[in-house]
Amino acid sequence: MEPITERDIRSSFVNCSKGDAKRLNVPRDLAERPWEDLDFLGWTDPSYAGRCYICVPREDGLVSVALRHETGGSGKTQMCTICLTTHSGGGVSLMTASKTGESGRKGNTVGSYMCTDLACSLYARNKKRPSMGSRYREDLTPEEKAQRVVENLNAFVDRLYT
């Protein structure tokens, strides 16, 4: 992923108001992020439990999405549907996002189970390991796993528009 700026982030939200995008907490460490290892930028809002955000580079430009999740986790072992990493405890959460447009204004959402820390790109590249270790072995290369992250994340974002 190419580095992005705070301005890029705030101007690319598709499922919240411009005022909400202006007020949300953007990471202050953008310059230190491992951009070469990221397929998307994801972060949690330290001042608002259960709120997190993703920025996804797509062919038609950057798309940022506001997400919500229950805090505390289920206590069960679960698998992320984006990177297929298995986590114990609260390592995976059901992330929900308001849909775009009129559908979103009516309260419609989409959801997917994702790594709570939104570090899917790093798990796919073996740069980060889940606390419980790997539960199964795959024959895919880190590059193939990263491609799967991109495909699964783009499929999630596409659902926001339908």
Side-chain angles (χ1 to χ4, degrees), residues 98-109 160-162:
S98 295
K99 294 184 87 168
T100 61
E102 185 61 28
S103 182
R105 286 188 288 281
K106 289 180 179 177
N108 294 318
T109 62
L160 295 172
Y161 297 98
T162 59

Side-chain angles (χ1 to χ4, degrees), residues 108-146:
N108 294 318
T109 62
V110 297
S112 189
Y113 287 93
M114 297 183 192
C115 295
T116 305
D117 63 4
L118 299 170
C120 298
S121 298
L122 301 179
Y123 292 120
R125 290 175 172 77
N126 300 320
K127 304 280 183 172
K128 188 172 184 177
R129 299 253 184 225
S131 61
M132 65 183 282
S134 181
R135 298 279 290 183
Y136 67 96
R137 179 171 146 43
E138 283 190 293
D139 292 329
L140 298 178
T141 66
E143 294 78 19
E144 291 169 324
K145 290 179 187 178

Side-chain angles (χ1 to χ4, degrees), residues 17-97:
S17 70
K18 289 183 189 222
D20 286 343
K22 184 178 179 180
R23 288 184 297 273
L24 62 83
N25 290 311
V26 173
R28 298 290 168 222
D29 65 344
L30 289 174
E32 289 83 44
R33 295 286 172 134
W35 296 106
E36 64 280 354
D37 292 324
L38 298 180
D39 303 297
F40 69 98
L41 175 66
W43 75 98
T44 58
D45 190 333
S47 65
Y48 191 0
R51 177 67 63 92
C52 55
Y53 310 96
I54 56 174
C55 300
V56 183
R58 293 173 50 107
E59 288 182 13
D60 54 344
L62 187 66
V63 172
S64 295
V65 179
L67 301 162
R68 292 179 187 252
H69 66 89
E70 290 294 321
T71 58
S74 69
K76 298 178 182 178
T77 298
Q78 295 178 301
M79 181 182 286
C80 172
T81 59
I82 303 300
C83 65
L84 304 187
T85 299
T86 305
H87 295 271
S88 61
V92 171
S93 297
L94 175 60
M95 303 287 186
T96 59

